[in-house]
Each structure stands twice: as C-alpha cells, then as structure tokens.
Amino acid sequence: MTRRKKKKRIIGIACRTIIALVLAVMFLTPIILTVANSFMSSAEISSNYGAIFQTTDTGGKVFIGKTVNLKLIPDMVSFSQYATVLFKTPDYLLKFWNSVILVVPIVIFQLVVAVLASYGFTRTKGKVAAIIFFVYIILMMMPNQVTLVPNYLVLKKMGLLDTNWSIWLPGIFSPFSVYLITKYMKRIPGSIMEAAKIDGANEWQLFSKICLPISKSIITTCAILVFIDYWNMVEQPLLFFSDSDKYPLSIFLSKINTMDVGLAFAVATIYMVPSLLLFLYGEESLVEGVAYQGSVKG
C-alpha cells in the first residue's frame, strides 16, 4: 500500500467517524435532555424553557425569557417528579400495567404463530404456498391506518370492541413476523435438513432442534421490533376502546404533557426503560437479524 493510498484511507476513516459522531449526537440529544430534565424541578424547567411550556389559566403563553436554555446538568437534582409518578399518581401505574397486559401477549403469541407459519412456508413448495405468502407480503406493506376501519367493523361484528381481544387478535396475526422469519428460515441449507432426516429426525425434531435454534437471532429481532411497535401504539386503543381506563401508557403520556411538563419528563424517562432494556439485551441478535448476516455452516 502506497503512502498516498494509506493517507486517503485514514482520511476516509476519520470522515466516517466524524459523521457517525454527529449523527449519534443528533439522535441521542433528545433522550439525554429528557432524562436530564426529569431530575429538574418544575421551576427550573420553566426558567430554562421560557414561554415554551408556561401557560395561563386561559391557555395563553406567559413570556419568561427570550432564549431557551438546554441544560444537561440540573442545578439541583430532584426526585420529586419520580415520587409523584410512582407513588402519588395511580393513573400512571394503571396505564403501565394496561400496556404490559396488551403488549406482552401480542409479542408472545405473534412469535408462536409466526415461527409455525414460517416453518410451514419453508417446508411447503408449490404455487398455493407461494400465493399465500405473497398475500402476507401485500398485507405487510399496507399501512396500519388502512386496516383500522376493516378491523373495527369485523371486531364490532364479533362483539369484541372495548375488550383486550380487539387489540390482541389483530396484533397476534400480524404478517410482519411471518415475513421476516420465513425469509430467514429459507436461508437454512437443505443439506442440513436432509442429513437430519437421514439420521431419523421427524418434522417436529427438524422444527425444534434445527430451525428454531438457527433462527434465534431473527426471532429475537422480531420480538424487539414487535414490542417497540405495540408499546408505542396510539390509534388502536383510541379507536377500539371507549373506556379511557383501559388506555395504555402511550396515550397517557400524550395527555400528561398538557398538565405538567416536569412530570411528563419523568413519565417519558420511565416509559423508555422497557424498550431500552430489551434493545440492550438483544442488540447483537437485532443487528444480525436485520442485516441477515447470520451464517449457517453445513
């Protein structure tokens, strides 16, 4: 390698590093500010953000300062907002458990349906299977808002509106995970399957001993993506639930912003924790599953 090529390579690495750092700062700044502001008192938040959040009883803005002061370190760390959310606001805990009750069954049973259907698509050859899988792709490409009205009409006909089933059923049978897991399973070399069949493995053993372990990364990826998607859902509960006591935390968060901004920062910080922990736990599998970089050795 000549000196000129080596110099260009170093410059290229430096430029990519700088761009990555700038993008990382841009994406992380809102999260860092949310966490930092959650430890500030309401008075400090008002003084920092001026007229952005301060309102009168009539809904008008009160002028406080000309500039916005984005602070990463509070003048005095305060846990009062967390105490209010966790111990003095029963609505928060109710909405949190509403979210858990709605989202966890969707994640579990959508993956169960997806791995079984994906194995079927992988092992079944023919035009019928290809057409059905093509329909799955069409359904996956349709925006969620397009299917809300048909789902509402079907659920109303079934008498399931205003019940958890109105959220569970469309979520459990979503085609998203079926598509991803099927595409991943089809990459498993047929030689592995044939070798296992020669050794006496039946279909259940092929599924449980070969396909599932090899597809662990994509299953983890689907679990993370499905959890985050339904943890942040807003339209479905608003349309399918008439009782506000059944609303999940995502809707409660949008409403609390209009009441107490300092409290909203604390709620938003706690709201991010489950998704963040799940992402950190399955980060390697998520990257591998999305990039389809997992290799299978025969």
Side-chain angles (χ1 to χ4, degrees):
M1 181 181 293
T2 64
R3 182 176 296 180
R4 179 176 293 180
K5 288 184 178 180
K6 188 175 181 180
K7 186 177 181 180
K8 287 183 177 179
R9 182 183 177 189
I10 294 174
I11 293 174
I13 294 174
C15 291
R16 289 193 294 268
T17 303
I18 292 172
I19 293 173
L21 288 174
V22 171
L23 292 175
V25 170
M26 291 175 59
F27 282 110
L28 291 176
T29 296
I31 299 175
I32 295 173
L33 286 173
T34 300
V35 175
N37 290 328
S38 69
F39 292 102
M40 296 180 185
S41 63
S42 297
E44 185 176 355
I45 292 175
S46 298
S47 63
N48 289 337
Y49 292 96
I52 294 179
F53 295 130
Q54 196 74 2
T55 57
T56 63
D57 294 337
T58 58
K61 293 289 184 181
V62 175
F63 181 77
I64 297 178
K66 295 182 179 180
T67 60
V68 174
N69 182 23
L70 301 178
K71 295 177 63 177
L72 298 179
I73 301 176
D75 292 336
M76 181 177 294
V77 176
S78 172
F79 294 93
S80 60
Q81 293 168 165
Y82 285 97
T84 302
V85 170
L86 296 174
F87 303 109
K88 301 178 183 179
T89 311
D91 280 348
Y92 171 81
L93 295 178
L94 175 63
K95 300 299 188 293
F96 178 86
W97 286 112
N98 284 348
S99 293
V100 172
I101 292 171
L102 290 174
V103 175
V104 172
I106 290 177
V107 175
I108 294 174
F109 290 104
Q110 184 179 136
L111 292 179
V112 171
V113 171
V115 294
L116 293 173
S118 299
Y119 182 76
F121 283 125
T122 302
R123 298 288 291 163
T124 304
K125 308 297 181 182
K127 292 184 178 180
V128 176
I131 292 173
I132 295 175
F133 187 69
F134 180 74
V135 172
Y136 266 84
I137 297 175
I138 297 298
L139 291 174
M140 188 188 68
M141 294 176 63
M142 296 177 64
N144 183 57
Q145 291 77 8
V146 174
T147 60
L148 283 177
V149 173
N151 283 340
Y152 178 87
L153 296 176
V154 172
L155 292 168
K156 183 178 180 181
K157 202 74 174 179
M158 297 173 66
L160 296 177
L161 288 179
D162 211 31
T163 68
N164 291 339
W165 287 103
S166 63
I167 305 294
W168 288 339
L169 286 179
I172 290 172
F173 295 101
S174 171
F176 174 74
S177 296
V178 176
Y179 172 77
L180 289 184
I181 298 175
T182 299
K183 299 299 289 184
Y184 196 92
M185 281 188 177
K186 285 186 176 182
R187 298 175 68 243
I188 300 175
S191 58
I192 295 180
M193 296 291 195
E194 293 301 325
K197 289 178 70 175
I198 292 173
D199 290 338
N202 55 33
E203 285 296 331
W204 173 251
Q205 290 172 329
L206 291 176
F207 171 71
S208 60
K209 302 296 183 181
I210 296 178
C211 285
L212 281 185
I214 292 176
S215 305
K216 180 180 177 181
S217 61
I218 192 63
I219 293 173
T220 304
T221 298
C222 290
I224 296 173
L225 296 178
V226 171
F227 179 88
I228 293 175
D229 184 28
Y230 285 93
W231 188 255
N232 297 317
M233 64 179 171
V234 174
E235 295 95 342
Q236 298 96 317
L238 285 175
L239 183 62
F240 299 151
F241 289 157
S242 59
D243 186 1
S244 60
D245 289 338
K246 296 182 178 180
Y247 284 166
L249 190 58
S250 52
I251 297 178
F252 177 74
L253 182 62
S254 64
K255 291 184 176 181
I256 201 171
N257 282 329
T258 62
M259 299 184 296
D260 188 338
V261 177
L263 199 63
F265 280 123
V267 173
T269 300
I270 301 174
Y271 181 74
M272 291 188 296
V273 170
S275 299
L276 184 60
L277 291 178
L278 190 61
F279 171 79
L280 293 176
Y281 174 77
E283 180 182 3
E284 293 184 2
S285 297
L286 179 64
V287 174
E288 180 183 349
V290 172
Y292 289 92
Q293 293 176 350
S295 61
V296 181
K297 295 181 180 180

